């Protein structure tokens, strides 16, 4: 079974600086997808970024980018120019590329942004 | 701009009572899901419906039932609530679960407390 590990329960960053959130996963599959979701205090889960395992190029969405290391099974999220609105719980998630519906989540990293 | 709507947002039950969480989406999505979120546990899948007319168990289905009423609506029922079911429940939907990266859109969550 796939597992997703987020080793940092909490992180903090100064406004305008850069922070990296870590995620590792365990799988024997070669075809899969990885996601970062954000959960602000409002509780709603919001997709931040996604990465297809077959793509070597790291995904980027504005200030958010990932460092996808397939061999190391690592998928970290970098937030540049951090803003107060980035404060939230961040979840890393894994989905098999086959017909398996299941999205497996890590336990989350709580990010605090200090003004 | 509705997306996924869950009701109620908050509920307090006594042990043994029953209740139904309602979920509706207006994005014409085929697949719908129910997750629960517990502190330090991430999100865990309770049940899902790949398409209208089908439902299947996820990781933690015991104590729950679901109904896919139509394409828009997917309800979660607790027949006899237990304190272990105290949690935050999230409904989600996606266009399909076998196509592409299957990005989930989440509702705002429902906080359930069982005394």
């Amino acid at each position: 079974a796939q597992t997703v590990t987020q080793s940092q329960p909490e992180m903090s960053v100064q406004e305008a600086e850069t922070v990296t959130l870590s995620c590792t996963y365990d799988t024997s599959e070669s075809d899969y997808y990885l996601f970062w979701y954000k959960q602000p205090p409002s509780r709603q889960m919001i997709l931040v970024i996604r990465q297809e395992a077959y793509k070597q190029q790291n995904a980027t969405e504005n200030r958010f980018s990932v460092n996808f290391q397939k061999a190391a099974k690592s998928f970290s999220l970098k937030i540049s120019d951090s803003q107060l609105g980035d404060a939230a719980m961040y979840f890393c998630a894994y989905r098999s590329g086959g017909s398996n519906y299941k999205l497996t989540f890590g336990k989350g990293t709580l990010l605090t942004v200090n003004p | 701009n509705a997306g996924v709507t869950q009701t109620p947002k908050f509920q307090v039950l006594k042990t043994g009572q029953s209740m139904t969480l309602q979920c509706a989406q207006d994005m014409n999505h085929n697949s719908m899901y129910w997750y629960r979120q517990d502190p330090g546990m991430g999100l865990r899948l309770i049940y899902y419906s790949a398409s209208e007319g089908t439902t299947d168990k996820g990781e933690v289905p015991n104590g729950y039932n679901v109904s896919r009423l139509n394409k828009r609506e997917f309800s979660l029922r607790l027949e006899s609530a237990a304190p272990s079911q105290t949690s935050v429940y999230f409904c989600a939907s996606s266009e399909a679960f076998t196509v592409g990266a299957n990005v989930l859109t989440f509702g705002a969550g429902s906080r359930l407390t069982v005394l």
Side-chain angles (χ1 to χ4, degrees):
Chain A
Q2 292 80 21
T3 58
V4 178
T5 302
Q6 294 178 249
S7 59
Q8 306 153 316
E10 297 184 25
M11 291 282 285
S12 64
V13 63
Q14 291 296 127
E15 195 175 4
E17 295 189 347
T18 296
V19 64
T20 298
L21 308 184
S22 300
C23 173
T24 59
Y25 57 94
D26 184 23
T27 184
S28 58
E29 299 173 329
S30 59
D31 182 24
Y32 52 87
Y33 302 88
L34 296 164
F35 305 84
W36 279 98
Y37 280 89
K38 169 185 177 181
Q39 186 179 41
S42 67
R43 289 207 312 253
Q44 190 151 2
M45 298 282 285
I46 303 165
L47 177 69
V48 175
I49 199 166
R50 66 182 179 189
Q51 174 81 42
E52 292 88 344
Y54 62 84
K55 291 186 177 179
Q56 292 189 343
Q57 187 172 6
N58 289 326
T60 299
E61 288 286 343
N62 300 315
R63 297 182 294 106
F64 298 88
S65 61
V66 298
N67 184 6
F68 173 47
Q69 301 289 329
K70 192 171 184 178
K73 297 179 183 176
S74 171
F75 183 60
S76 60
L77 175 69
K78 186 172 82 170
I79 306 174
S80 303
D81 185 24
S82 297
Q83 300 176 359
L84 295 177
D86 295 333
M89 183 73 85
Y90 286 81
F91 291 95
C92 180
Y94 171 102
R95 180 196 179 275
S96 170
S99 60
N100 186 344
Y101 61 87
K102 185 178 172 181
L103 198 63
T104 301
F105 287 87
K107 294 183 178 181
T109 297
L110 180 63
L111 178 66
T112 303
V113 180
N114 301 311
Chain B
N1 195 27
V4 178
T5 304
Q6 294 179 229
T7 56
K9 287 187 169 29
F10 300 93
Q11 184 73 49
V12 178
L13 293 176
K14 294 181 180 178
T15 297
Q17 287 185 319
S18 62
M19 77 157 298
T20 300
L21 297 174
Q22 307 286 355
C23 176
Q25 52 90 9
D26 62 1
M27 297 170 287
N28 201 33
H29 282 172
N30 290 303
S31 303
M32 297 185 74
Y33 312 80
W34 276 106
Y35 286 86
R36 62 177 287 174
Q37 183 180 25
D38 301 296
M41 295 292 291
L43 279 81
R44 293 181 292 168
L45 184 65
I46 305 171
Y47 270 93
Y48 73 101
S49 170
S51 61
E52 186 179 357
T54 69
T55 60
D56 283 286
K57 296 178 180 179
E59 294 177 75
V60 288
N62 292 343
Y64 305 95
N65 286 301
V66 290
S67 295
R68 184 74 183 267
L69 304 170
N70 48 55
K71 191 172 186 179
R72 290 187 63 248
E73 298 173 286
F74 188 41
S75 62
L76 178 71
R77 183 162 179 82
L78 287 70
E79 290 291 351
S80 178
S84 60
Q85 294 179 302
T86 293
S87 188
V88 180
Y89 291 84
F90 287 92
C91 179
S93 70
S94 67
E95 187 174 342
F97 78 87
T98 58
V99 174
N102 185 33
V103 174
L104 270 62
T105 300
F106 285 84
S110 299
R111 182 178 294 278
L112 174 66
T113 302
V114 183
L115 303 175

